[in-house]
Amino acid sequence: MFYNLLRAFIYPFLFVFLIFKPKKLAFVLKRFFQDFSCLKKGEKYIWIHCSSVGEINLSDSLIKKIESTYKENLLITVFTDTGFEIAKNKYSNNSRIDILRFPLDDIFIIKRILRLINVSYLILVETEIWPNLINMVSKKGKVILVNGRISNKSYPRYKKLTWLLKPLFKNISKFCMQSDIDQERIISLGAKKEDVFTTGNLKFDISFEEFSDSEKNSLKNQLLLGNRKLFVAGSTREGEDQIIIDVFKKLNSTLLVIVPRHLERVNDIENLLSSSGLTFSRFSNIETSPLTEKIDAIIVDKMGILRKFYSICDIAFVGGTLVNIGGHSLLEPLFYGKTPIFGPYLQNVKDISKDICNLKLGYKVSDEIEFLNAINYLETNPVSKNKIYNFFKSNKNAVEKIVKLMEE
């Protein structure tokens, strides 16, 4: 009750503020005024809520398993615009899957959706705690939190809200957490011990694309790679690109490819490369107008092709780790047999990063010198492909555990 009274109080001030922020206003309006005609009125649904691109990608195996196991239609809601577009690209041809933008936990919009469809399950991917969504769906079906994670950074904040979380958690039937630490933390925040399980990380069940030799060779030819090594810096965040450029400038016969996490940063990266005296091009320009001579660096200015670059690289860096973001997927380069190099900020991938470091499948660096040492070491001490395969094999099956708990 207090939550919705607070929202009602804030709404008028929020919209006045948003008048002067057209991009943010458009973001909110797209979620408040949606077309629900795609929903099959009166039919049963399993509702799966994801936050962004990362959750959409890691949920792919779970979504496919649920679709093959259950007869219900699937409703996927996504918080971000990029996540929504990725979901549309993945599932728009599937008649059993409908996709909407998440309506920002608005009680009236959620009521409208629940009047249109019958929801038997709500699956929250990672720790997406939305009070109205959880409370309202729990009256119709089961609520299950999957791939749950409580980071070091968010845990103290959640502890202050235990009084609010404990009654909310009573409406969640199962908590499927990534690790034993996450399991302990969610219990300390108010979840019932008997409802909490460690099921592992869905990232290990992601279906990574396989690329043929001809596809990889075609990309190498596009880049005019020749005999040079390829240094791919994936999912970079603000503050990391200059470090990457400084490391690159000390390497010989190498091509640098920077893949920013957010495309709006492309102009900033261009300025950094220009001020560093490097020749460069956007990847979209190379696709329309092929290179005629070798350049120093390429900025990837389109979504969805980082994995293809990882599949052909010699040096792989994973972003969000040299600045305090918490890290992006360390498994992407590893799947393609490339040893990931990453920084010390790993709170989003804490368990995976520990395993990778303990098994010497990747290298954590803190500065430019350590970065260069890691590159030199890996050149003469490559990691065994068989060792990487066994690492993936031993950590799979989070999807099977989650679906089994749903069936119980």
Side-chain angles (χ1 to χ4, degrees):
M1 178 68 78
F2 172 75
Y3 173 70
N4 285 312
L5 285 173
L6 182 63
R7 288 175 65 100
F9 176 76
I10 290 172
Y11 273 170
F13 300 99
L14 175 66
F15 279 100
V16 169
F17 169 76
L18 291 175
I19 289 171
F20 304 99
K21 303 281 184 180
K23 283 187 178 179
K24 291 180 180 178
L25 179 61
F27 178 90
V28 170
L29 293 178
K30 279 190 283 189
R31 283 146 184 80
F32 277 13
F33 300 98
Q34 294 190 72
D35 179 10
F36 295 142
S37 61
C38 64
L39 298 177
K40 303 165 188 71
K41 193 171 181 181
E43 293 193 16
K44 287 186 176 181
Y45 274 82
I46 294 174
W47 185 340
I48 301 170
H49 174 59
C50 301
S51 176
S52 62
V53 175
E55 289 73 28
I56 284 291
N57 287 332
L58 71 83
S59 302
D60 189 52
S61 297
L62 178 62
I63 289 167
K64 287 174 180 173
K65 180 66 177 178
I66 289 172
E67 186 193 13
S68 65
T69 305
Y70 292 87
K71 294 180 180 178
E72 286 97 327
N73 299 298
L74 274 66
L75 168 61
I76 299 174
T77 53
V78 193
F79 188 86
T80 67
D81 285 329
T82 50
F84 177 78
E85 293 304 323
I86 293 293
K88 292 286 281 186
N89 290 338
K90 275 179 177 283
Y91 305 115
S92 59
N93 294 327
N94 190 320
S95 61
R96 285 183 58 199
I97 299 178
D98 298 314
I99 301 154
L100 295 173
R101 292 179 172 88
F102 181 61
L104 306 180
D105 211 34
D106 183 84
I107 190 170
F108 301 106
I109 302 174
I110 293 171
K111 273 184 182 178
R112 185 180 166 197
I113 292 171
L114 294 177
R115 280 198 297 266
L116 288 169
I117 61 175
N118 296 315
V119 177
S120 53
Y121 289 97
L122 167 64
I123 296 174
L124 302 167
V125 181
E126 299 210 341
T127 317
E128 285 288 294
I129 307 298
W130 296 100
N132 284 332
L133 180 65
I134 292 169
N135 289 333
M136 295 170 73
V137 174
S138 67
K139 296 172 185 176
K140 306 255 181 188
K142 302 290 184 184
V143 180
I144 299 175
L145 187 146
V146 305
N147 221 51
R149 177 174 61 86
I150 309 289
S151 70
N152 295 338
K153 189 176 179 180
S154 61
Y155 185 53
R157 293 202 299 266
Y158 282 137
K159 283 292 283 183
K160 294 175 184 176
L161 297 172
T162 304
W163 60 275
L164 183 65
L165 294 172
K166 193 169 184 178
L168 185 63
F169 284 172
K170 289 179 182 177
N171 293 324
I172 299 178
S173 301
K174 295 280 192 297
F175 297 81
C176 301
M177 309 303 288
Q178 291 184 23
S179 70
D180 292 338
I181 292 172
D182 296 310
Q183 181 176 359
E184 290 168 11
R185 285 178 174 175
I186 202 81
I187 291 169
S188 75
L189 295 174
K192 290 182 183 177
K193 189 175 181 179
E194 61 270 24
D195 294 336
V196 184
F197 305 85
T198 299
T199 52
N201 197 322
L202 281 173
K203 287 183 179 177
F204 285 99
D205 287 337
I206 289 175
S207 298
F208 292 98
E209 302 98 318
E210 299 278 4
F211 303 106
S212 67
D213 288 341
S214 63
E215 285 178 297
K216 290 190 274 191
N217 288 332
S218 175
L219 181 55
K220 288 178 183 179
N221 292 335
Q222 262 188 309
L223 306 179
L224 293 186
L225 190 59
N227 294 322
R228 292 182 295 172
K229 290 174 184 169
L230 182 62
F231 178 3
V232 173
S235 300
T236 65
R237 306 295 285 260
E238 186 178 355
E240 293 183 313
D241 303 292
Q242 187 62 60
I243 300 170
I244 297 298
I245 291 167
D246 291 342
V247 169
F248 167 74
K249 288 174 75 174
K250 291 180 173 63
L251 302 175
N252 297 318
S253 190
T254 303
L255 171 66
L256 174 63
V257 171
I258 298 178
V259 188
R261 182 71 173 183
H262 300 119
L263 297 184
E264 58 265 27
R265 293 185 50 249
V266 168
N267 288 337
D268 294 336
I269 297 169
E270 284 183 324
N271 291 335
L272 290 174
L273 290 168
S274 182
S275 62
S276 298
L278 299 175
T279 56
F280 61 89
S281 174
R282 295 188 181 200
F283 185 66
S284 60
N285 293 338
I286 295 171
E287 288 185 306
T288 55
S289 180
L291 291 172
T292 56
E293 57 183 29
K294 291 180 178 180
I295 56 176
D296 298 315
I298 292 164
I299 309 167
V300 176
D301 56 343
K302 59 187 290 187
M303 299 287 291
I305 55 173
L306 172 58
R307 292 176 184 174
K308 197 169 188 179
F309 278 96
Y310 275 146
S311 75
I312 64 168
C313 76
D314 301 284
I315 304 163
F317 169 75
V318 178
T321 58
L322 285 172
V323 291
N324 193 9
I325 298 296
H328 299 299
S329 176
L330 303 179
L331 297 180
E332 287 185 331
L334 202 58
F335 178 82
Y336 298 105
K338 316 301 178 179
T339 307
I341 297 171
F342 42 87
Y345 298 101
L346 299 161
Q347 54 268 33
N348 294 342
V349 288
K350 59 182 185 294
D351 296 302
I352 289 174
S353 63
K354 281 179 188 174
D355 290 340
I356 287 173
C357 288
N358 289 338
L359 293 168
K360 291 188 166 64
L361 295 175
Y363 288 89
K364 182 165 68 173
V365 300
S366 299
D367 54 36
E368 187 181 323
I369 294 171
E370 290 183 2
F371 206 135
L372 288 165
N373 288 340
I375 292 171
N376 292 331
Y377 180 81
L378 289 171
E379 190 172 357
T380 53
N381 299 274
V383 175
S384 158
K385 296 272 181 79
N386 193 48
K387 195 174 178 183
I388 293 171
Y389 171 79
N390 289 334
F391 174 63
F392 274 87
K393 186 178 179 182
S394 62
N395 283 285
K396 273 186 171 291
N397 297 325
V399 166
E400 297 293 337
K401 292 172 188 174
I402 290 166
V403 172
K404 186 177 180 182
L405 286 169
M406 286 175 66
E407 290 172 344
E408 288 175 3

